[in-house]
Amino acid sequence: MPANGLSAPQDGATHSVPGAEDALSALTALVRTDLEACNRLIVERMQSPVALIPQLAAHIVAAGGKRLRPLLTLAAARLCGYPAGGHRHVALAACVEFIHTATLLHDDVVDESALRRGQASANALFGNKASVLVGDFLFARAFRLMVQDGSLKVLAILSEAAATIAEGEVLQLVTQNDTTTTEAQYLQVIEGKTAALFAAATRVGAVVADRPEAEEAALDAYGRNLGIAFQLVDDALDYAAEQERLGKTIGDDFREGKITMPVLLAFTRGTEAERAFWRRALEQREQRPEDLAMAQGLMQRHDALADTVARARDYGDAALAALRVFPDSPERRALADIVAFCIDRAR
Amino acid sequence: MPANGLSAPQDGATHSVPGAEDALSALTALVRTDLEACNRLIVERMQSPVALIPQLAAHIVAAGGKRLRPLLTLAAARLCGYPAGGHRHVALAACVEFIHTATLLHDDVVDESALRRGQASANALFGNKASVLVGDFLFARAFRLMVQDGSLKVLAILSEAAATIAEGEVLQLVTQNDTTTTEAQYLQVIEGKTAALFAAATRVGAVVADRPEAEEAALDAYGRNLGIAFQLVDDALDYAAEQERLGKTIGDDFREGKITMPVLLAFTRGTEAERAFWRRALEQREQRPEDLAMAQGLMQRHDALADTVARARDYGDAALAALRVFPDSPERRALADIVAFCIDRAR
């Protein structure tokens, strides 16, 4: 069974990387003290006299996600020589996590049309409005953390990333249910909605350590390529048979009619009859119970998942290449191993 | 007919202020060149390669609202001696309008429960998700404008305001449909959702002009009290019979079960049978076609609208008092006249 949890591809594009699943633990261990400080700051800054705010925020932010983005900020800063126990990278790591959480909350908002199809999402417990408003609160708190940091350069990087994230999310909305979406548009979507924050999260590590532009650019390239790889794999996992067997939800993207890389590949490589299937299911959104299995079969036939992961590997390689401007160190090794972790996610 | 468009109150608490409706035109004329620069900046900064963004943003931001908040920033800066034709107050006025527009877009988001009652709102054209994401984009662009301004003090004021707005909106959501809401809670809601941005909009005028803390605090107090007065009147207008006659929509707050000052006054002063009516209509939200008229009748009986406007006048007086630290000038007179304009809105 391949470690990335995808059903076995025919071309061997996916393969098991022993220990990749431990890369996250290794990275976490490396910055444990700073991560704990970051977690405390997160809990402290999501407080509000309005009780629903910490209550709803805790539902997502404190639920013990893997904290991948703040870990990247902490490790990037340490890689650049910023001292462990310092507070700037901790504050910015919390800030990055708040932006990520706000994005998740806003992503949870359900459209009227989706509701009519009975697709209530994770926001079912609190409702659309609460998700939007608590997300806004976390965005505002993220900016407050940045302002307190006091670096206009950091503020420029993160506010630009926030605008790019929103652009990516809107473009995703626009291309949804549109099978004429191009690969370039898809890449623009994931560069915005995912990679922009990864890039900002790692770039600010160089900024707090006051490193030259070349190192800033290298960490930006590392984060950006890692983010694209991460999202490509995410989009493949949404159709992965193995995930299903492991009791994970799959098919969310399919039900929503998102046009992701696996769909683009299967659609482009498909027969006219197959394209008619994709148009019916994703554009007209007339879905039958057996359609997801049909989609998975077509992806298998056209190597769509394996090739999506293969592209993720290319971006992963670019992320690794970007790290080469830094001398060898435990941080550099940990950040390099995270690339494999993001690609070979078996969970 | 009283100029504020409310049905004639019995105690004369509302009265016509001749020319109050011209106060906005006078203020606009006073800063016309700067306002035009602000409008150009707004249009420029809401551009994006993602076409839906300027399209949806234009729907609200460029639709030619009265631009009250940016006008306040421009006039406050000029009052403090900041030169006409300068760019900082123009950029911050645009920033304030972006935050306001983003708030409007997020306020448009409809809850599942509201949808089930068939209450599609202004976002019907584009949908919940587009409203949220384009709002996020405008928030991010607002922060970008602030970062470019380069003042950490301005950034602190406006990011704090953004968090307070979100807190106010969440508290409003929490107190909705709850007739045990106290007047203190209601005031906390409107201080957050409305007055915080008014206060920040005027305070930054003193900051760009590099004026002493006393003048900053005075402009903060002016904006905050004006904002509370503005919202109190808004909440009264939502039940005003005169508005209905003029073809304006009324009763939105009633249908949503918002607990506003007129409701609090009528509820507190009502009989037990009347309170049962309010509970049924606003808490259980079992509303019949004749209920809005019933609510208006109860408010008339208990002077609820007139007394809401009377309280607005008290806050308006506090706003006027705050202006007294400044010497007489056309800007001070224009800002003073805006207080009457906000209270005596006939349209």
Side-chain angles (χ1 to χ4, degrees):
Chain A
M1 173 178 61
N4 64 9
L6 301 180
S7 58
Q10 290 133 326
D11 63 356
T14 63
H15 58 275
S16 171
V17 175
E21 62 276 20
D22 296 328
L24 191 68
S25 320
L27 181 62
T28 305
L30 200 61
V31 296
R32 183 172 308 284
T33 312
D34 292 339
L35 182 64
E36 285 165 359
C38 174
N39 283 333
R40 283 193 298 275
L41 189 59
I42 284 172
V43 172
E44 179 194 319
R45 294 304 177 92
M46 70 188 202
Q47 295 311 311
S48 162
V50 181
L52 179 61
I53 291 176
Q55 194 182 337
L56 201 163
H59 198 68
I60 297 199
V61 88
K66 51 190 179 317
R67 297 270 197 263
L68 178 57
R69 292 156 192 81
L71 278 169
L72 291 173
T73 298
L74 296 173
R78 299 279 301 113
L79 175 72
C80 290
Y82 189 79
H87 69 277
R88 289 188 66 193
H89 69 328
V90 167
L92 294 178
C95 169
V96 163
E97 185 71 355
F98 276 162
I99 293 177
H100 172 57
T101 308
T103 307
L104 286 182
L105 279 166
H106 285 187
D107 220 41
D108 254 10
V109 168
V110 184
D111 252 327
E112 297 85 331
S113 55
L115 272 174
R116 280 194 293 272
R117 283 185 299 272
Q119 287 189 19
S121 75
N123 81 349
L125 202 53
F126 297 100
N128 270 343
K129 271 208 114 114
S131 291
V132 174
L133 300 173
V134 175
D136 287 350
F137 176 82
L138 293 178
F139 265 133
R141 280 287 161 96
F143 276 98
R144 198 81 182 85
L145 275 164
M146 284 179 235
V147 172
Q148 285 169 340
D149 175 72
S151 156
L152 285 168
K153 195 165 184 181
V154 164
L155 277 157
I157 291 167
L158 284 164
S159 64
E160 195 58 42
T164 305
I165 293 168
E167 276 183 326
E169 296 269 4
V170 175
L171 188 61
Q172 173 171 269
L173 191 66
V174 171
T175 56
Q176 199 161 310
N177 311 122
D178 181 357
T179 58
T180 69
T181 301
T182 63
E183 209 173 302
Q185 285 176 311
Y186 165 78
L187 286 170
Q188 200 187 336
V189 167
I190 69 174
E191 281 190 44
K193 75 169 192 171
T194 308
L197 188 56
F198 274 72
T202 46
R203 181 186 270 266
V204 296
V207 176
V208 295
D210 209 16
R211 301 301 302 163
E213 166 62 26
E215 293 185 18
E216 257 188 55
L219 280 171
D220 185 295
Y222 167 79
R224 194 172 306 275
N225 283 291
L226 178 66
I228 296 174
F230 181 91
Q231 189 59 54
L232 281 164
V233 170
D234 237 38
D235 291 348
L237 286 174
D238 207 73
Y239 288 94
E242 197 58 33
Q243 289 292 100
E244 195 169 28
R245 203 185 58 81
L246 292 166
K248 298 268 179 177
T249 309
I250 63 160
D252 283 346
D253 292 346
F254 184 73
R255 275 183 291 276
E256 291 173 32
K258 275 192 192 149
I259 309 300
T260 59
M261 184 63 88
V263 171
L264 285 171
L265 292 176
F267 184 84
T268 311
R269 296 169 181 178
T271 65
E272 196 40 57
E274 288 172 15
R275 281 198 280 271
F277 161 79
W278 290 112
R279 284 195 203 94
R280 169 176 66 72
L282 301 181
E283 272 185 23
Q284 288 120 50
R285 301 186 64 175
E286 294 166 15
Q287 296 190 2
R288 302 165 194 159
E290 66 277 18
D291 280 355
L292 179 58
M294 170 76 172
Q296 289 175 308
L298 294 178
M299 286 177 178
Q300 175 86 4
R301 178 180 307 167
H302 298 295
D303 297 328
L305 296 187
D307 286 357
T308 297
V309 175
R311 286 180 200 224
R313 281 190 201 292
D314 291 341
Y315 285 99
D317 288 345
L320 291 173
L323 287 178
R324 285 192 203 119
V325 305
F326 299 97
D328 183 43
S329 70
E331 286 79 14
R332 197 183 85 162
R333 284 194 294 278
L335 287 170
D337 289 347
I338 280 297
V339 175
F341 164 78
C342 285
I343 296 175
D344 300 291
R345 282 179 284 161
R347 286 136 302 176
Chain B
M1 173 178 65
N4 63 10
L6 300 180
S7 57
Q10 290 132 328
D11 63 355
T14 64
H15 57 276
S16 173
V17 174
E21 63 276 21
D22 297 329
L24 191 67
S25 320
L27 180 62
T28 305
L30 200 61
V31 297
R32 184 173 307 284
T33 312
D34 292 339
L35 182 64
E36 285 165 0
C38 174
N39 282 334
R40 282 193 300 275
L41 188 60
I42 284 172
V43 171
E44 179 193 319
R45 293 305 177 93
M46 69 189 203
Q47 295 312 311
S48 161
V50 181
L52 179 62
I53 291 176
Q55 195 182 337
L56 200 163
H59 198 69
I60 298 198
V61 88
K66 50 189 179 316
R67 297 270 196 265
L68 178 56
R69 292 157 191 81
L71 278 170
L72 292 173
T73 298
L74 296 173
R78 298 279 301 114
L79 176 72
C80 289
Y82 188 79
H87 70 277
R88 288 188 67 194
H89 68 331
V90 167
L92 294 178
C95 167
V96 163
E97 185 71 355
F98 275 161
I99 294 176
H100 172 57
T101 309
T103 308
L104 287 182
L105 279 166
H106 286 187
D107 219 42
D108 254 9
V109 168
V110 185
D111 253 328
E112 296 85 331
S113 55
L115 273 174
R116 278 195 295 272
R117 283 185 300 273
Q119 286 187 21
S121 76
N123 80 350
L125 201 53
F126 297 99
N128 270 343
K129 271 209 113 115
S131 292
V132 174
L133 300 174
V134 175
D136 287 350
F137 177 81
L138 293 179
F139 266 133
R141 280 287 160 97
F143 275 98
R144 198 79 183 85
L145 276 164
M146 285 179 235
V147 171
Q148 285 169 341
D149 175 71
S151 157
L152 285 167
K153 193 164 185 183
V154 164
L155 277 157
I157 291 166
L158 284 165
S159 64
E160 194 59 41
T164 305
I165 293 168
E167 275 182 326
E169 296 269 2
V170 175
L171 188 61
Q172 173 170 270
L173 190 67
V174 171
T175 57
Q176 199 162 309
N177 312 121
D178 181 357
T179 58
T180 69
T181 301
T182 64
E183 208 172 302
Q185 285 176 311
Y186 165 79
L187 286 171
Q188 198 187 336
V189 167
I190 70 174
E191 282 191 42
K193 75 170 190 170
T194 307
L197 188 57
F198 275 72
T202 46
R203 182 187 270 266
V204 296
V207 176
V208 294
D210 209 15
R211 302 299 304 162
E213 167 61 27
E215 294 186 18
E216 257 190 56
L219 280 172
D220 186 296
Y222 166 79
R224 193 171 307 277
N225 283 291
L226 178 65
I228 296 173
F230 181 91
Q231 190 59 54
L232 281 164
V233 171
D234 237 39
D235 291 348
L237 287 175
D238 207 73
Y239 288 94
E242 198 56 35
Q243 289 292 101
E244 195 168 28
R245 204 186 58 79
L246 291 167
K248 298 267 178 178
T249 309
I250 63 161
D252 283 347
D253 291 347
F254 184 73
R255 275 183 291 276
E256 291 172 33
K258 276 191 190 150
I259 309 300
T260 59
M261 183 64 88
V263 171
L264 286 170
L265 292 176
F267 184 85
T268 312
R269 296 169 181 179
T271 64
E272 195 42 55
E274 289 172 12
R275 281 199 279 272
F277 161 79
W278 291 111
R279 284 195 203 93
R280 170 176 63 73
L282 301 180
E283 273 185 21
Q284 288 121 52
R285 300 187 64 177
E286 296 166 13
Q287 296 190 2
R288 302 164 195 161
E290 67 276 17
D291 280 355
L292 179 58
M294 171 77 173
Q296 289 175 308
L298 294 178
M299 286 178 179
Q300 175 86 2
R301 178 180 307 165
H302 297 294
D303 297 328
L305 296 188
D307 287 356
T308 296
V309 175
R311 286 179 200 225
R313 280 189 201 293
D314 291 341
Y315 285 100
D317 288 344
L320 291 174
L323 288 178
R324 285 192 205 117
V325 305
F326 299 97
D328 183 42
S329 70
E331 286 79 15
R332 197 185 85 163
R333 285 194 294 277
L335 287 170
D337 289 346
I338 280 296
V339 175
F341 164 79
C342 285
I343 295 174
D344 300 292
R345 282 178 286 161
R347 287 134 302 174

